[in-house]
Amino acid sequence: MSRWIWSALLVLGPLGGVGCDHAATTRPDEAAAPGPLAAAPVEPIAETPQPVAVRINAEYGKHDAAGWTKRFEHDGREVYDRRHEIVAALGLTPGLRVADVGAGSGLFTRLFAEAVGPSGRVYAVDVQADFLTQIAARAEADGQAQVETRRADQRRTGLDPGSIDVAFLCDAYHHLELPKTYLADLHRALVPGGRLVIIDYDRSRPGTEAWMKDHIRADPPQLLGEIEAAGFTPTAVSLRLEENFVAVFTR
Ligand SMILES: C[S@@+](CC[C@H](N)C(=O)[O-])C[C@H]1O[C@@H](n2cnc3c(N)ncnc32)[C@H](O)[C@@H]1O
């Protein structure tokens, strides 16, 4: 899809919602530890790992979860400064099941948990066990029993098929090392009509620094084209950010 069509989609109407009821299955602390993935087996997809994503994910060994939290949750980071606006734009309602994929410090996990309430569920999905342990501890301290952690790997989200209404990736899509394979698993995890929300840095912006150009492997049209090719349908979005692009797809 061409760049201008994407731009047009970004300024159209509000984000839609999908509602449903479901039962809680696992306590947050039970799922935080590394272990076998809960997801169904995935048919193999021939895919070469994205070298940039492999390189940037290797950075996670350089700090612990607390160190990364300081880097993710600070004034001046656009998605932090505008976090409440971002969550409001999703129109989450009580009872929804949301996956915060690439949850990191749990910045959005906590806000999603407030939005979907005790009858909803928020899956904090990450490849780093440290982050999940921190998220589970914080959820317990905050009394957010609706938060459940899922350990992903680069092929699988760890989410059960048909188990989520909304998948949200903030600053995370460009970290996927095997996007085609992972998107197929995410597609399985979403209910029909469920939403996939992507927020990521737009490296095609004028003035983008060289390190950022190296950090994000492609411009938005390529990244969004990959998602469409994986069987997701682009849909209208009302939210606009300055540094990041926002895109919503339905399954
Ligand atoms: C830049 S952080 C973003 C954290 C959070 N979404 C935010 O915006 O504050 C990227 C996160 O993606 C995670 N990640 C990398 N590959 C992943 C994968 N295949 N599945 C889930 N998480 C992944 C990293 O461990 C890291 O926590």
Side-chain angles (χ1 to χ4, degrees), residues 187-245:
H187 196 273
R188 268 185 291 271
L190 275 164
V191 292
R195 287 178 289 158
L196 170 61
V197 180
I198 304 285
I199 297 179
D200 220 318
Y201 190 83
D202 179 357
R203 72 166 203 175
S204 68
R205 296 174 68 234
T208 298
E209 293 178 53
W211 76 266
M212 186 59 106
K213 289 229 181 235
D214 285 347
H215 182 87
I216 310 272
R217 66 179 168 82
D219 291 352
Q222 182 184 320
L223 302 177
L224 297 171
E226 292 169 5
I227 297 169
E228 203 176 344
F232 293 93
T233 307
T235 184
V237 182
S238 55
L239 177 69
R240 292 197 85 171
L241 300 174
E242 293 293 321
E243 298 176 358
N244 293 271
F245 64 87

Side-chain angles (χ1 to χ4, degrees), residues 115-251:
V116 303
S119 64
R121 182 121 304 232
V122 182
Y123 298 100
V125 176
D126 210 288
V127 291
Q128 299 290 340
D130 247 21
F131 283 138
L132 299 180
T133 302
Q134 175 178 286
I135 288 170
R138 175 77 185 260
E140 194 165 8
D142 292 349
Q144 291 186 326
Q146 63 271 41
V147 172
E148 185 176 320
T149 58
R150 286 291 166 101
R151 182 90 185 269
D153 64 22
Q154 290 300 337
R155 295 189 167 274
R156 293 183 289 175
T157 60
L159 296 165
D160 296 326
S163 64
I164 55 168
D165 304 300
V166 180
F168 175 86
L169 284 84
C170 177
D171 204 2
Y173 183 77
H174 69 271
H175 282 268
L176 302 182
E177 296 178 15
L178 297 165
K180 208 170 158 187
T181 305
Y182 203 82
L183 284 169
D185 195 54
L186 211 43
H187 196 273
R188 268 185 291 271
L190 275 164
V191 292
R195 287 178 289 158
L196 170 61
V197 180
I198 304 285
I199 297 179
D200 220 318
Y201 190 83
D202 179 357
R203 72 166 203 175
S204 68
R205 296 174 68 234
T208 298
E209 293 178 53
W211 76 266
M212 186 59 106
K213 289 229 181 235
D214 285 347
H215 182 87
I216 310 272
R217 66 179 168 82
D219 291 352
Q222 182 184 320
L223 302 177
L224 297 171
E226 292 169 5
I227 297 169
E228 203 176 344
F232 293 93
T233 307
T235 184
V237 182
S238 55
L239 177 69
R240 292 197 85 171
L241 300 174
E242 293 293 321
E243 298 176 358
N244 293 271
F245 64 87
V246 184
V248 179
F249 297 82
T250 51
R251 182 236 199 256

